[in-house]
Amino acid sequence: MKQTTCAVDTLFSASHPHLYKHISILKILVSSVIALIGVAAVILSLVVEKSDDTLSMVLLTVGFILLLFAVYRLFWQSYETVYRPTGSSIRSGSLYMDSAELQRIRQMVEKNDFSNPSHILCKDSGNGRLDYLMSKDGQFVAVQFFQFVPYTYEPISEKYYYTDDVAAAIARCINI
C-alpha cells in the first residue's frame, strides 16, 4: 500500500530495495539442452553419408544456429529480476498511447485513485509511453510516464512504486 518515488530516470535501470537479480537455473538448463541439440546436429551432419550433401548442410546450419542461440541465452538472458517479498519474477514493458490517455492514466496514478478501474487504451505507437515493471503475482508495480519529443521519449514523471493491494489494482488496470 505504500508508494515511494525516486529521481527521474529510465524505469528499467531503476533499483528498488525489494528487487534483485539472480541467475535462473531453469533458463540455464534450457540453454544447455538447446546447446546439446545443436552439438548433436553438428555431429550428425558429419556422420551422415556423403551422398546426401543437402541433409548434411541443413544439419550443420541448424546445429550452428542452435549453438549460437544457446550461447546468447546463456550469457544475456540467464538473469531474471525477482520481487524479494513474494519471490515472484518481474516482467517489464512499455505501453504506447495518445496524449489524452496518457494524462488520464497519469492523473489516476498521481492521485492514487484506482476505485474506478478502466482499461488503458493502448496503440502500436503514440506520443505517450508508460513503462512498467510488474511482478507476475501482481504484488509489485513500478510505472513511469514518457512523452515523445522529436527523436526520443523524455520522462515527464518520476517513478512510482506500488506494493500489495494498490499494485494489484494497477495490474488490473494495465491488464497485460
Side-chain angles (χ1 to χ4, degrees):
M1 287 211 186
K2 78 176 183 185
Q3 169 190 2
T4 58
T5 59
C6 63
V8 176
D9 196 17
T10 59
L11 185 61
F12 300 116
S13 65
S15 61
H16 188 272
H18 293 297
L19 298 181
Y20 71 97
K21 279 191 166 189
H22 76 96
I23 295 175
S24 171
I25 302 300
L26 179 63
K27 289 182 179 183
I28 289 177
L29 289 175
V30 169
S31 296
S32 300
V33 168
I34 292 171
L36 287 174
I37 293 171
V39 167
V42 169
I43 292 172
L44 192 58
S45 73
L46 299 174
V47 175
V48 170
E49 294 182 24
K50 297 299 178 189
S51 62
D52 199 359
D53 289 336
T54 304
L55 179 62
S56 177
M57 287 305 295
V58 167
L59 285 172
L60 187 64
T61 304
V62 168
F64 277 119
I65 289 172
L66 287 174
L67 281 171
L68 289 173
F69 181 66
V71 167
Y72 167 74
R73 279 184 52 96
L74 189 63
F75 288 108
W76 287 281
Q77 292 187 346
S78 61
Y79 288 93
E80 69 180 351
T81 305
V82 175
Y83 179 55
R84 191 179 313 260
T86 63
S88 179
S89 64
I90 298 288
R91 59 185 175 189
S92 62
S94 297
L95 301 175
Y96 296 91
M97 59 199 75
D98 60 17
S99 292
E101 184 70 8
L102 182 73
Q103 292 306 322
R104 183 181 71 82
I105 301 302
R106 186 175 176 192
Q107 287 176 353
M108 285 175 52
V109 168
E110 287 176 350
K111 292 179 181 177
N112 211 9
D113 179 24
F114 302 101
S115 58
N116 184 12
S118 58
H119 297 293
I120 298 174
L121 301 173
C122 299
K123 299 181 177 183
D124 290 335
S125 65
N127 57 356
R129 186 178 87 192
L130 167 68
D131 285 359
Y132 65 88
L133 297 174
M134 183 185 308
S135 64
K136 286 189 178 177
D137 62 3
Q139 295 299 305
F140 174 83
V141 174
V143 295
Q144 186 175 18
F145 298 94
F146 293 82
Q147 185 76 39
F148 185 77
V149 294
Y151 308 111
T152 187
Y153 283 93
E154 294 289 329
I156 59 171
S157 75
E158 53 197 42
K159 297 173 206 162
Y160 297 95
Y161 296 98
Y162 295 97
T163 58
D164 302 327
D165 295 336
V166 178
I170 295 172
R172 282 191 303 275
C173 184
I174 293 176
N175 195 25
I176 298 169

